Amino acid sequence: MALRPDEFYDHALAAADDERRLPLARMTGWTISPFEADGLRVSPLRPPVLPEPPRHGEDSSNCDACRDRGDGIWFNAGWRLTRITGVGVPLVLMLHPIEHYDMADLPDELAAELGVLSTHIVRHVQALPHISRAHVYRIGDGGAHLHIWFFARPEGQTQLYGSWMPVWDDLLPEYPADVAEADVAIVADALVASVGGSRSPADEPPHEVARPSS
């Protein structure tokens, strides 16, 4: 059984200093870190917040992902793919189920389709010129509607390896929008060719999987 919130906090504090600051992470010593360790400080460890604050969209009637279900670059009956703008890396995409599901209550049919779609999205992003890798992230602490991130790592930028890439993305200047739009069109068309779907939600019938009662 996992530690209770107070037990976890006490366990972590045992490794902290008098100001409740933990040592710098080993990650800050990696060559891919965007920060030099000298001068960095860890924020004081705050006590647990219970109950946790609700995430955005816990109530589907107030969910941006549900409200914006017609927005995207690619659609099928169960999913839509969007482009996140204003980023620093060549491409950031987000995959959402059309209906209001999180990962834990995703019906098995959609869960199986998620694996296939994720593989095809990665395949098509990595096929773009000057893209070496497509990173895939699911976090879910901010929004209750499932959203899967896809980050394109630019070729040759080895400092952007691994788990620091979202931080580098936030530090880099905004990537040229016209270049990103052209690459998005290539990925979307490749998805239509490889797994079906369409560039417009109007071409897709509603999904037939029923939402679980609990």
Side-chain angles (χ1 to χ4, degrees):
M1 181 183 295
L3 296 176
R4 297 192 314 266
D6 59 314
E7 291 174 330
F8 182 90
Y9 183 62
D10 290 343
H11 170 73
L13 279 184
D17 62 17
D18 292 342
E19 295 183 325
R20 295 178 286 115
R21 298 180 191 273
L22 293 162
L24 284 178
R26 292 184 299 275
M27 293 172 63
T28 59
W30 295 354
T31 57
I32 58 173
S33 171
F35 307 110
E36 295 179 352
D38 291 346
L40 280 180
R41 299 181 75 194
V42 177
S43 297
L45 189 65
R46 295 189 289 268
V49 176
L50 296 171
E52 291 191 2
R55 299 174 297 171
H56 171 77
E58 295 283 7
D59 180 353
S60 61
S61 67
N62 188 33
C63 173
D64 288 346
C66 289
R67 183 197 66 208
D68 298 336
R69 65 181 61 191
D71 296 341
I73 64 164
W74 172 89
F75 302 82
N76 75 2
W79 299 90
R80 68 187 177 98
L81 186 67
T82 60
R83 178 172 82 88
I84 307 302
T85 59
V87 299
V89 296
L91 209 56
V92 178
L93 304 176
M94 186 178 285
L95 183 65
H96 322 249
I98 300 293
E99 300 302 326
H100 191 75
Y101 294 112
D102 201 353
M103 182 165 271
D105 59 8
L106 200 63
D108 287 350
E109 178 186 341
L110 286 178
E113 195 172 20
L114 173 60
V116 173
L117 287 176
S118 297
T119 298
H120 281 253
I121 293 167
V122 167
R123 183 178 300 159
H124 300 320
V125 170
Q126 290 185 176
L128 293 170
H130 311 304
I131 300 299
S132 284
R133 207 82 61 227
H135 292 199
V136 184
Y137 304 95
R138 183 266 172 177
I139 301 168
D141 281 334
H145 194 124
L146 176 62
H147 49 290
I148 308 293
W149 298 84
F150 298 83
F151 279 69
R153 180 174 67 75
E155 182 180 21
Q157 295 297 325
T158 57
Q159 274 184 291
L160 274 63
Y161 276 1
S163 49
W164 277 117
M165 190 163 77
V167 180
W168 278 109
D169 171 66
D170 203 40
L171 296 168
L172 290 163
E174 184 174 344
Y175 194 80
D178 57 337
V179 179
E181 286 289 351
D183 283 343
V184 157
I186 293 171
V187 170
D189 288 340
L191 273 175
V192 172
S194 67
V195 295
S198 69
R199 298 290 301 274
S200 168
D203 298 335
E204 291 299 328
H207 208 275
E208 296 179 355
V209 175
R211 182 174 174 80
S213 58
S214 58

